[in-house]
Amino acid sequence: PLNQRAFPLNCHFPEPAEIHRGRLYISSGSSNRKMTNPSKKTVAIIPSAGMGRRMGSRKKNYLTLLDRPVLAHTLEAFEKAPSIHSIVVVVPAGDERFCRDEIVSKYGFKKVVAVVAGGAERQDSVQNGIKAAGDGFHVIAVHDGARPLVTPGIIEAVIKAAIEHGAAIAAVPVKDTIKEASGGFVKRTVPREALLSVQTPQAFSTDVLGKAFKKAAEDAFTGTDESSLVERAGFAVKVVEGSYENMKITTPEDMAFAECVLRERLGVKR
C-alpha cells in the first residue's frame, strides 16, 4: 500500500480508496487553484521530436509497433479521451508533412489541429505546441509521443486532478532498490518508499504552466519535464496513479514489451 506520508511535501498522492476501477476520486486538500467546471477545455501537446539515440538514432515514434507507428498508438488514446478537445503534435523540423500525411490523416485523428516543429529543448518544443494551439484552453496536458501504452483512463484521471488542483502528473512507485554511487562504488541506499517513477501525461492550468515557463526562462533553467518547472515555480503537484505498462519507448527491448502488451489488450495472437 502507498504511504502518503512518505512522499515529498509538494506531492499529494491520492489515498488508495480514491482510485477505483480507473476512476479518480479527488479528496479535499490544498491546491494551487480550484477549477471545478468539468467543461474546461483541454489541449494535449504531444512532444515527439526526439531522435532515439538508443534505438540506433532512428526516429522511434515512427517505428512500426504491431500494426501502426508508435505515435499513432499514442494519439489513439488521446483521440478516445473525452476530456481532450484538441491535440498538437510536435515533431522534428522537416517532418511536419510526413506526420500529417502518414499518421494524422492516414489513421483519421480528428482532434489533431496542428503538427509543428520542435525546438532545441523539450520545453521549447512544448511551448511551440502551446503557441500553435492558440487561446481558449484552460488546461494543458503534455504527453510523450513515445508512451504508446497510455490509456484514456489515465489521461482522464490526470486531467481531472489538474482541474481540481492546478497541476497533476501520472506516476508509479519505484519497484527496484535504488543506490547512489560515486566513483564506481555504492555511496548509500536510497529509501525507495519516498521515490516515484514519474510518467506522462502531466496536466496543468494554463496559468500555472505559463508562470512556470516564465520563471524557467528568467532563470535560464532547463527541466526534464514540465512538472519540474512547475515545482520550482512554487506550485504543488498532485500525483495520480499511473501504470507500469505506461513506459517510454527507449530501447529495442521496450518495443518488444509494448508489442506483448498490445497483443494482450487486443487479443491478437502471434
Side-chain angles (χ1 to χ4, degrees), residues 2 23 50 71 88 91 102 193:
L2 300 174
R23 296 174 181 266
L71 180 58
V88 176
V91 299
E102 298 301 321
E193 291 80 7

Side-chain angles (χ1 to χ4, degrees), residues 149-192:
L149 300 180
V150 68
T151 63
I154 292 175
I155 296 167
E156 291 296 294
V158 171
I159 291 171
K160 287 177 182 178
I163 289 174
E164 180 70 15
H165 299 277
I169 60 174
V172 291
V174 170
K175 294 189 290 184
D176 295 327
T177 297
I178 306 297
K179 305 282 188 181
E180 180 182 345
S182 177
F185 291 90
V186 172
K187 186 175 180 181
R188 70 184 182 107
T189 299
V190 181
R192 66 183 177 187

Side-chain angles (χ1 to χ4, degrees), residues 48 59-77 98-109 145-149 249 255 258 262:
S48 187
K59 295 176 181 178
K60 57 189 176 183
N61 293 330
Y62 301 154
L63 295 177
T64 299
L65 177 58
L66 202 60
D67 63 339
R68 59 184 62 189
V70 167
L71 180 58
H73 288 283
T74 302
L75 293 176
E76 184 176 13
F98 173 85
C99 184
R100 282 193 296 266
D101 294 346
E102 298 301 321
I103 296 179
V104 177
S105 296
K106 183 175 181 177
Y107 296 99
F109 296 121
R147 289 187 189 269
L149 300 180
I249 300 289
M255 287 287 288
L262 288 173

Side-chain angles (χ1 to χ4, degrees), residues 206-219:
T206 54
D207 179 61
V208 166
L209 190 56
K211 289 178 178 177
F213 276 132
K214 183 175 184 294
K215 179 170 176 55
E218 292 172 347
D219 298 344

